Structure formats: C-alpha cells, structure tokens
Amino acid sequence: MKDKVVLVTGGASGIGLASAEALAASGARVVCADLQQSQDLPQGCEFRRLDVSSEKLTEELVSDVIERYGQIDGLVTSAGISRVGDLEHMSLQDWEQVLQVNLTGTMLSARAVAGPMKRRGQGSIVTIASINGMLGNPNNLAYCTSKGAVIQMVRSLAAELGPSGVRVNSISPGYIHTPMTTMLDELPVGQAFASMHLLKRAGRPQEVGNAVAFLLSDISSFITGVNLPVDGGFSAAKVIAI
Ligand SMILES: NC(=O)c1ccc[n+]([C@@H]2O[C@H](COP(=O)([O-])OP(=O)(O)OC[C@H]3O[C@@H](n4cnc5c(N)ncnc54)[C@H](O)[C@@H]3O)[C@@H](O)[C@H]2O)c1
C-alpha cells in the first residue's frame, strides 16, 4: 500500500481505526473521517470531521483529499450505527437514521470517490457490512436491513465499476469487540453470541483491519463483488451436539 491514499469513514474507532492502522502500517497515507475525533490516531493517519449522511460534506471532503494528496486509491466505509428494535417497537426515526448512515452514507462515500477512481482506471472500495446483513435477526430490523442492502449494493457497484478497473467488495464481520458492542460484552448474551462463532470467541478489530488491508491492496487484484465474512466461522455452520 506504499504511498496509496485511502479514505476511511468511521476511522476514529473500532474496525475503522484498526483498518486505518493496518493500512498505515503497510505504507498508505490514510484520512480517517468521522463524527468524533480519535484520541490516538496512528502515524500516517490524518483526522477529518465528517457526517457520512451529508452528500455535500462527503463530496467536499473527497475533493479536499484529492487536492491535498493528488489522488485517491482506496475507500473503506466503516461508519455505522445500530439501534436495537423489532418491527413493532422500532421508531420510524431509528429506522431512518440507521438507513441514512449505514446505507445512504455508504452510497454517498462510494459515489464521491467513484468518478476520480474511474478517471484513473483504478481503485478499491471496501464496505463494512455484517453477518447481520447475511442472516435474519428478530430484534435488529433496521440494522439488518441496512447491512443486507449494503452487500447487494456492493455487487451492483462491482458490476458498474469493474469495466473501469475499480474493485468493490464488502466484509461481513461477526461479533467484534469494539465500542459498538461494549454493552453486549458485559451481558450473558454476549458470551452466548461469542460461543456461536466456530472459533468460540469474539473477534478483535485488528482481525477485520487485516482483511480490509488485503482487499484494498493489489494482492487481491482479481477479487471484486465479493462479500467476505470475517466472523470466526459464524456464518459457515450451525453446530449442534449429536
Ligand atoms: N463490532 C461488531 O461486532 C460489528 C459487527 C459487524 C459489523 N460491524 C460494523 O462495523 C462498522 C464499524 O463498527 P465498530 O464496531 O467499529 O463501531 P464503532 O462505534 O467503534 O465505530 C463506528 C464509528 O462510526 C462513526 N460514525 C457513526 N455515525 C457516523 C456518521 N454519520 N458519520 C461519520 N462517522 C460516523 C462513529 O463515530 C464511530 O467512530 C459499522 O458499520 C458496524 O455496523 C460491527
């Protein structure tokens, strides 16, 4: 990734921050865009404030990055929120907010970088989806819907941008210890969830960050349109004792 320029949304925390770390460690220049500032961004990373649900701010940020660094080679969309709630109890406001950030925000970021990447005939986009976008979940309707839509959007974008040399893939993490899951970590349900992963534990943000770096780099140059679970085997099997 030496000298590649990568924008990471949600780059101030959790999976986004770990992705920025992995990318910077492999030589990339990384812009971490987030609502909140990170206390400890790694060397090689610059912080920029961004609300990914704003088309105007996203377009302006991408223009700034290109002006400052001369190019944009990669995009990681990790900005995301979760609001627990089922069909009956979820508020319309929660539904709209989750879709606005997780789905529309991902589309807006991809749209902002797609033009410049197409003109250069190269680029790699990695979106952070979720195992909750691959499987149903009775109490997380907005989040599951947003992540399922992101996985499908990635396939469509891969088809649209592939002829221009731009690759688009998603990663679906399992249960990863981050600030988003702090509540879960402390509850018995968190342990039960962790034990549903074939490796019998939750993952670390760095384990997702490494997969992000792989999909962004030229090592994965013939991979596009893929949804890669990084989930300790959660989505691979349903294990029952016989
Ligand atoms: N942690 C998990 O178990 C897990 C599992 C599957 C998928 N994911 C996904 O991974 C991504 C990262 O989550 P995380 O676990 O690192 O959580 P996190 O809360 O640590 O990080 C999410 C970041 O997104 C930022 N953000 C939220 N709304 C934003 C907005 N409108 N504009 C810009 N930034 C915004 C937050 O400020 C935060 O820094 C999310 O998309 C999440 O849905 C997480």
Side-chain angles (χ1 to χ4, degrees):
M1 295 297 296
K2 184 142 176 42
D3 295 331
K4 300 258 186 192
V5 178
V6 183
L7 173 63
V8 182
T9 73
S13 176
I15 290 168
L17 179 58
S19 301
E21 274 166 1
L23 292 162
S26 67
R29 292 171 289 170
V30 184
V31 177
C32 293
D34 204 303
L35 281 179
Q36 52 153 357
Q37 178 126 31
S38 169
Q39 301 308 319
D40 46 1
L41 275 191
Q43 216 177 5
C45 298
E46 177 197 356
F47 174 77
R48 297 293 299 271
R49 201 167 297 281
L50 175 69
D51 180 349
V52 295
S53 63
S54 163
E55 180 175 28
K56 181 171 173 287
L57 295 178
T58 305
E59 294 282 345
E60 281 174 5
L61 175 61
V62 169
S63 296
D64 277 5
V65 168
I66 293 171
E67 200 170 305
R68 185 167 153 78
Y69 293 98
Q71 69 207 54
I72 186 145
D73 302 284
L75 167 70
V76 182
T77 65
S78 189
I81 56 172
S82 177
R83 300 279 181 271
V84 172
D86 62 12
L87 182 61
E88 195 180 346
H89 301 102
M90 173 194 66
S91 71
L92 182 58
Q93 191 187 8
D94 278 355
W95 167 265
E96 286 176 344
Q97 209 181 353
V98 168
L99 290 177
Q100 186 68 24
V101 175
N102 295 4
L103 179 57
T104 306
T106 299
M107 180 278 290
L108 290 174
S109 300
R111 186 153 72 173
V113 301
M117 285 180 175
K118 275 161 69 176
R119 282 192 284 283
R120 289 181 69 218
Q122 63 184 70
S124 178
I125 298 173
V126 177
T127 73
I128 305 299
S130 173
I131 50 168
N132 278 311
M134 302 166 62
L135 301 161
N137 182 327
N139 196 29
N140 215 353
L141 186 64
Y143 185 80
C144 292
T145 305
S146 71
K147 294 299 185 177
V150 161
I151 292 169
Q152 182 61 352
M153 181 166 68
V154 158
R155 297 189 188 108
S156 299
L157 289 179
E160 181 180 332
L161 303 178
S164 304
V166 179
R167 298 185 298 113
V168 191
N169 296 289
S170 60
I171 285 177
S172 282
Y175 174 15
I176 310 294
H177 290 301
T178 70
M180 186 183 271
T181 61
T182 309
M183 288 270 291
L184 200 57
D185 297 341
E186 287 158 10
L187 297 173
V189 70
Q191 276 169 9
F193 187 18
S195 73
M196 290 167 73
H197 295 61
L198 300 186
L199 297 179
K200 299 295 169 196
R201 65 172 175 87
R204 295 182 293 275
Q206 293 76 10
E207 294 177 301
V208 184
N210 290 339
V212 168
F214 164 69
L215 283 178
L216 268 196
S217 78
D218 292 341
I219 293 175
S220 61
S221 54
F222 204 50
I223 301 177
T224 195
V226 154
N227 175 48
L228 174 66
V230 179
D231 65 354
F234 179 94
S235 60
K238 246 188 197 148
V239 181
I240 48 168
I242 307 174

